[in-house]
Amino acid sequence: MLATAKGHYNGSRIVFDTPVDFQQGQEVVVTYMVIPQSMEEMESNDSLVDSLVGAIPNTGKTLEEYRSERLKKYASPD
């Protein structure tokens, strides 16, 4: 099972915004977001995003068409 919890780093440890119950030996994966400190870093991130544009081909479908296609493909037989 995967779960998500939001929190922040207070300089010495990670503090979760909501209570999280951990079990001894439980495997935990931590991801974090780096917020750019300068415009230079932001521009670098913008160029990264720009480089991804076009990586997913534009088939001309509407969001509703994609949604309908996904629902048919992954619909439960129940």
Side-chain angles (χ1 to χ4, degrees):
M1 178 179 84
L2 292 175
T4 303
K6 186 173 184 261
H8 63 278
Y9 180 67
N10 71 1
S12 61
R13 63 183 60 169
I14 296 172
V15 179
F16 292 106
D17 294 343
T18 57
V20 179
D21 293 324
F22 291 110
Q23 304 296 320
Q24 185 173 352
Q26 180 178 358
E27 185 175 69
V28 176
V29 176
V30 177
T31 60
Y32 60 94
M33 178 175 57
V34 177
I35 300 172
Q37 298 298 318
S38 68
M39 285 303 291
E40 183 178 304
E41 288 183 41
M42 288 176 61
E43 289 170 3
S44 174
N45 289 344
D46 289 343
S47 67
L48 177 64
V49 171
D50 288 342
S51 73
L52 296 174
V53 173
I56 300 173
N58 181 1
T59 61
K61 295 180 184 177
T62 65
L63 291 178
E64 185 55 41
E65 289 171 318
Y66 282 117
R67 182 179 183 278
S68 174
E69 186 178 272
R70 295 290 108 191
L71 287 175
K72 288 178 188 172
K73 184 173 182 177
Y74 298 108
S76 172
D78 296 338

